[in-house]
Amino acid sequence: MPQLSSGGGDDLGANDEMIAFKDEGEQEEKIQENAFTERDLADLKSSLVNESEISQSPSAAAVRRGQHPGEQRGFAEKHREHHDGVSKHQDGGMYKTPAYAGYPFLMLPDPYLPNSSVSPSSNKVSVVQQSHGMHPLSSLLPYSNDHFSPSPPHLPTDMSQKTGVHRHQSQDLSGYYSLPPGGVGQISPSMGWQSQPVYPALTPCGFRQPYSSNLPGASSYSRFPHSLMLGHSGMHPTGIPHPAIVPPSGKQEHDQYDRGMYVKQHMEPKREKEPKKPVIKKPLNAFMLYMKEMRAKVIAECTLKESAAINQILGRRWHALTREEQAKYYELARKERQLHMQLYPTWSARDNYGKKKRRKREKQQDPNTDNSL
DNA sequence: ATCCCTTTGAAGGGT
DNA sequence: ACCCTTCAAAGGGAT
């Protein structure tokens, strides 16, 4: 699929090309597992937490994707092939599912808005956040805007008016991202959810539920904290506020749920403290975008809270997605990278190295004792 | 208060 | 080209 830029297309983003899945090799055995018995399902249900290696889901995914002969190829090839077959119909069945109850991109900082100058040289971008602004990328997705339209209570709906910025949702996205013509439109979900039963069939979550059902649930939906959707106090050196910019204090994701709260927390404390350089975070990859979107749904379905467990589910669901479904997120991620690159041309992922301490590095050193030398 | 966990993908550096 | 490491989100749990 061309526009996924297997090198071609745009030279901005790194190839979204999908390297073969880590567990792609497992698919051999998965083929044997095609006879996925109910007993397996039962086992899975009871031991999903640990069975990420067992990868039933990938097998399930294999079953779904296995409709095509060349199932064991790398994902890039799969994508390529799939996009050859795409563009049949645009009804986007999958997107109609309530699972996509609105996409975070619908609310974005001005830099992402059509009329906002994305050019790094412009400082005129309003810092005020739009509540019902439409992300240019959102046009990529059939997510109905009205899923998000009832603007969250904590986000004043007239904010856009304050900014004096009007957005033209109908404007051509490619204009903002310098995308190759047709790059956007080519993403067309075709297969829809008809083949979705894999996971949902298992259980809504296919997961053991260690928690009682007193979860925030629906409230989680109202705060879709996409990195691109909410404003921050972070400011790009150019003056352009960008969600990727996080105040040195970090923890942006927790604060951004409620802008009011965010402001409150950041107005008084250490005002005169030397303004350390804001951290520009990495653009989200396809899976991260998918997680952001689906996390709330999984939480609601599975009454889970632990992100580690949720992420396991999301990881399996990710593999269970059809190529078309995944392609949507790959494309979004590609555009995020493009935008990120436009906003912060000099930024490097390396800039954030060491910001998270060392984490598991030493952990990995432990098991293998050869590091002891 | 900080780090871990857990997932996939992107990116950078080393070989 | 390939391999390894780190980070991106998330939030409960552990330290």
Side-chain angles (χ1 to χ4, degrees):
Chain A
M1 94 182 279
Q3 93 285 12
L4 273 195
S5 78
S6 310
D10 67 295
D11 33 336
L12 275 175
N15 0 340
D16 278 0
E17 40 279 0
M18 319 55 211
I19 12 184
F21 286 130
K22 274 200 268 186
D23 50 358
E24 203 82 28
E26 302 175 359
Q27 296 196 353
E28 295 175 1
E29 58 192 48
K30 274 166 212 157
I31 293 182
Q32 300 168 357
E33 295 178 17
N34 273 357
F36 203 56
T37 65
E38 295 183 45
R39 182 182 55 80
D40 293 330
L41 288 175
D43 291 342
L44 288 168
K45 289 180 187 177
S46 61
S47 63
L48 271 171
V49 179
N50 303 328
E51 53 87 54
S52 58
E53 313 83 23
I54 302 175
S55 66
Q56 60 83 8
S57 135
S59 76
V63 171
R64 293 178 61 189
R65 301 187 197 134
Q67 298 168 351
H68 303 290
E71 196 38 47
Q72 318 226 356
R73 291 167 297 170
F75 191 57
E77 291 187 48
K78 289 194 280 188
H79 260 258
R80 228 168 282 134
E81 171 203 271
H82 117 23
H83 270 271
D84 290 342
V86 178
S87 75
K88 292 169 191 163
H89 55 84
Q90 289 258 32
D91 74 10
M94 65 167 282
Y95 306 116
K96 292 174 182 174
T97 176
Y100 294 80
Y103 196 71
F105 282 176
L106 296 179
M107 302 189 301
L108 289 152
D110 285 325
Y112 290 89
L113 295 173
N115 277 356
S116 306
S117 172
V118 178
S119 138
S121 59
S122 168
N123 292 342
K124 299 199 162 187
V125 177
S126 169
V127 185
V128 181
Q129 199 51 47
Q130 322 303 322
S131 63
H132 52 279
M134 186 164 182
H135 189 291
L137 296 184
S138 65
S139 64
L140 281 175
L141 300 173
Y143 300 141
S144 71
N145 204 14
D146 29 44
H147 280 131
F148 240 70
S149 58
S151 47
H154 58 286
L155 291 176
T157 55
D158 57 340
M159 291 188 90
S160 63
Q161 299 170 353
K162 293 179 183 177
T163 67
V165 176
H166 28 240
R167 30 199 103 30
H168 305 284
Q169 303 182 0
S170 58
Q171 244 175 316
D172 183 18
L173 176 63
S174 58
Y176 303 109
Y177 297 97
S178 308
L179 295 172
V184 172
Q186 288 185 8
I187 304 183
S188 49
S190 61
M191 298 180 69
W193 290 101
Q194 51 203 10
S195 49
Q196 181 188 16
V198 177
Y199 277 115
L202 283 176
T203 63
C205 51
F207 213 89
R208 169 169 59 189
Q209 307 184 10
Y211 298 97
S212 54
S213 55
N214 59 343
L215 71 151
S219 65
S220 301
Y221 287 101
S222 63
R223 49 178 206 181
F224 273 9
H226 189 277
S227 65
L228 292 178
M229 74 189 257
L230 292 177
H232 312 277
S233 61
M235 187 75 83
H236 184 259
T238 62
I240 299 178
H242 187 275
I245 301 183
V246 183
S249 54
K251 287 302 172 193
Q252 141 223 25
E253 53 272 8
H254 302 300
D255 297 329
Q256 67 183 192
Y257 290 147
D258 186 323
R259 284 183 49 80
M261 183 167 58
Y262 179 85
V263 171
K264 209 187 301 175
Q265 292 180 347
H266 290 259
M267 275 185 50
E268 307 145 9
K270 39 192 158 188
R271 164 76 68 89
E272 48 247 27
K273 213 175 186 179
E274 199 280 319
K276 285 201 296 186
K277 257 189 177 171
V279 177
I280 300 174
K281 312 208 98 182
K282 290 177 66 174
L284 303 188
N285 63 37
F287 179 68
M288 288 295 149
L289 293 172
Y290 172 76
M291 283 210 324
K292 276 216 158 202
E293 180 183 341
M294 299 301 291
R295 161 168 263 101
K297 181 170 181 282
V298 171
I299 291 174
E301 287 179 354
C302 308
T303 65
L304 281 171
K305 288 180 180 175
E306 293 181 46
S307 289
I310 293 168
N311 291 348
Q312 281 188 350
I313 296 175
L314 288 169
R316 292 197 304 274
R317 288 193 179 186
W318 173 254
H319 286 298
L321 291 179
T322 64
R323 292 189 294 272
E324 287 81 3
E325 292 161 352
Q326 288 186 344
K328 177 186 64 173
Y329 296 96
Y330 281 113
E331 181 70 6
L332 273 174
R334 186 179 68 85
K335 297 194 183 320
E336 281 230 21
R337 287 197 307 275
Q338 280 187 348
L339 199 56
H340 196 275
M341 193 175 296
Q342 289 178 5
L343 291 173
Y344 321 112
T346 61
W347 179 88
S348 165
R350 202 74 180 178
D351 296 347
N352 292 351
Y353 274 28
K355 294 248 167 36
K356 279 192 171 182
K357 312 299 183 290
R358 51 233 193 279
R359 300 187 57 179
K360 55 183 88 171
R361 191 185 352 195
E362 44 194 43
K363 260 196 67 176
Q364 293 172 343
Q365 289 177 348
D366 274 345
N368 284 336
T369 46
D370 27 16
N371 56 18
S372 58
L373 39 97

